[in-house]
Amino acid sequence: MTQQQSSDPGSPALPRRRLGRTGLEVSILGFGTAPLGDLFARLDDTAAIAAAERAFALGVNLLDSSPLYGHGLAEHRSGTALRRVTRDNVVVCTKVGRWMDPFHGRGDGSNFAGGAPHRAVFDYSYDGTMRSVEQSLLRLGTDRIDLLLIHDVDVWTHGTDAIEARFREAMEGAYVALDKLRSERVVKGIGIGVNEAEMCVRFAKAGTFDTMLLAGRYSLLEQPALAEFLPLAQAKGIGMMLGGVFNSGILATGAVAGAKYNYKDAPPDVMQKVAAIDRVCRAHNVALPTAALHFALGHPAVASLVLGAQTPQEVERNVAALSSPVPAALWRDLKNEGLLDQHAPVPA
């Protein structure tokens, strides 16, 4: 995995890393667009698009989206931002597994505060995947997508009773479609986007994937991906993107009232551990979210952290945190107190 400096004129240096076998060089910070789909609140179009533009201006060259985010709205807003920069300078990643039905309302199954009035239809079939890709191209207003990920084939989304059928459908349908698009050089890389390390292992063993986006399972708080999946990703040359490195918020806010973990109020044991981690960070004069970002980038399999943002100011804070130094003694103290896996690699 190589590193180079951003060549964007006037932008601060934001290192880049090679993303697996794709040949792509991506910034160590990616721009996640779930908030642009009105995930937490209804956003003003101008402010939402400005957040993406600010990320590009600061040297972020990886944009990650999905049809799910705002039921198409995030891709629409992303497309507007893309049209204001040179398309070749941005690595665009989006997902398959759902297509949007414009003839029916959203129903009750959406967690987005706003978004487009279209219904999300799960479909991991070959035809459903191709339909999803076509819709994404139209919403993004581009003629190509660089990375395509099979989205949410995990127990978290489908439950234990349905996961085997969904996994089979994804490998027999979506994977075949994406493999065809890759062989035709329509996309540069294909992968998986899920919330569970165990499913990443299953997919990595079942097919030939270039990249994966794992959310929440390798962070300063917890490292279940460390023992099996991340070594497997390295062995297979799978470039890793990490999402959810704040575990839905608690590593950004600290153990405060109402802190979120896995999209819900954090339970007492999580609150207690985060408070202990925060105490060690404070002893070294390091902000908790800064430590969380640096730690996640410390694993050699990881190419980029995909972080969402609602405003340009949030983007600026995330970029600034990456340039703040973290002393090696912080990681040593966390391991000594049993707050961090002893085998977890840490930044040099």
Side-chain angles (χ1 to χ4, degrees):
M1 190 155 49
T2 61
Q3 290 198 15
Q4 67 183 41
Q5 298 301 314
S6 169
S7 60
D8 291 347
S11 71
L14 194 58
R16 295 185 181 180
R17 296 180 178 180
R18 186 174 297 276
L19 185 66
R21 297 182 302 267
T22 64
L24 297 167
E25 299 278 344
V26 296
S27 50
I28 59 172
L29 184 66
F31 183 74
T33 65
L36 268 60
D38 292 348
L39 176 59
F40 306 113
R42 292 178 182 269
L43 304 184
D44 172 75
D45 265 344
T46 301
I49 295 164
E53 288 187 285
R54 186 60 180 149
F56 297 151
L58 291 175
V60 174
N61 80 327
L62 172 63
L63 181 142
D64 174 71
S65 197
S66 169
L68 173 65
Y69 303 157
H71 295 225
L73 179 60
E75 287 186 328
H76 275 296
R77 285 170 166 165
S78 297
T80 300
L82 283 172
R83 286 189 291 277
R84 296 175 181 176
V85 296
T86 303
R87 172 64 183 85
D88 288 345
N89 290 345
V90 182
V91 175
V92 176
C93 174
T94 195
K95 306 180 182 77
V96 301
R98 300 173 177 88
W99 52 268
M100 295 300 135
D101 179 358
F103 300 108
H104 295 88
R106 292 195 306 166
D108 298 326
S110 176
N111 292 321
F112 292 86
H118 302 157
R119 180 164 299 183
V121 179
F122 276 114
D123 191 342
Y124 295 101
S125 70
Y126 182 96
D127 289 344
T129 297
M130 291 300 196
R131 183 176 188 176
S132 175
V133 173
E134 180 179 357
Q135 288 185 345
S136 288
L137 286 166
L138 291 169
R139 284 190 292 262
L140 288 164
T142 185
D143 59 353
R144 68 194 185 283
I145 295 167
D146 300 295
L147 303 171
L148 283 170
L149 311 181
I150 304 173
H151 200 193
D152 285 346
V153 185
D154 49 29
V155 176
W156 172 273
T157 304
H158 299 288
T160 54
D161 293 340
I163 189 59
E164 293 305 321
R166 287 299 193 187
F167 179 78
R168 188 166 56 249
E169 180 188 4
M171 285 304 303
E172 294 175 356
Y175 174 71
V176 175
L178 297 191
D179 189 41
K180 180 176 187 291
L181 293 175
R182 177 175 56 184
S183 69
E184 295 173 348
R185 301 183 184 276
V186 176
V187 296
K188 295 179 180 177
I190 66 173
I192 304 297
V194 294
N195 293 278
E196 295 160 6
E198 297 82 2
M199 291 308 301
C200 287
V201 170
R202 289 193 63 179
F203 276 109
K205 292 179 177 179
T208 302
F209 293 96
D210 306 295
T211 184
M212 293 191 181
L213 172 55
L214 177 62
R217 304 288 79 82
Y218 190 75
S219 72
L220 188 61
L221 174 61
E222 57 182 283
Q223 302 89 46
L226 181 62
E228 184 177 9
F229 173 56
L230 289 177
L232 180 63
Q234 285 183 277
K236 289 182 169 290
I238 297 171
M240 286 305 303
M241 299 178 284
L242 293 181
V245 293
F246 295 142
N247 287 107
S248 299
I250 192 165
L251 287 179
T253 63
V256 299
K260 301 299 180 186
Y261 169 75
N262 278 358
Y263 311 104
K264 299 177 181 178
D265 288 343
D269 60 326
V270 170
M271 293 282 278
Q272 183 178 0
K273 184 175 182 180
V274 170
I277 294 172
D278 193 17
R279 173 178 48 76
V280 175
C281 289
R282 288 174 185 272
H284 290 278
N285 199 30
V286 175
L288 178 63
T290 296
L293 294 181
H294 282 260
F295 170 76
L297 280 170
H299 197 288
V302 176
S304 186
L305 308 181
V306 176
L307 296 186
Q310 293 178 301
T311 66
Q313 292 74 27
E314 288 184 16
V315 175
E316 291 166 358
R317 285 198 298 270
N318 291 335
V319 171
L322 290 178
S323 63
S324 299
V326 177
L330 169 61
W331 313 120
R332 185 179 64 245
D333 288 351
L334 287 172
K335 289 185 176 184
N336 287 342
E337 294 198 24
L339 297 170
L340 187 60
D341 191 299
Q342 293 294 324
H343 302 290
V346 295

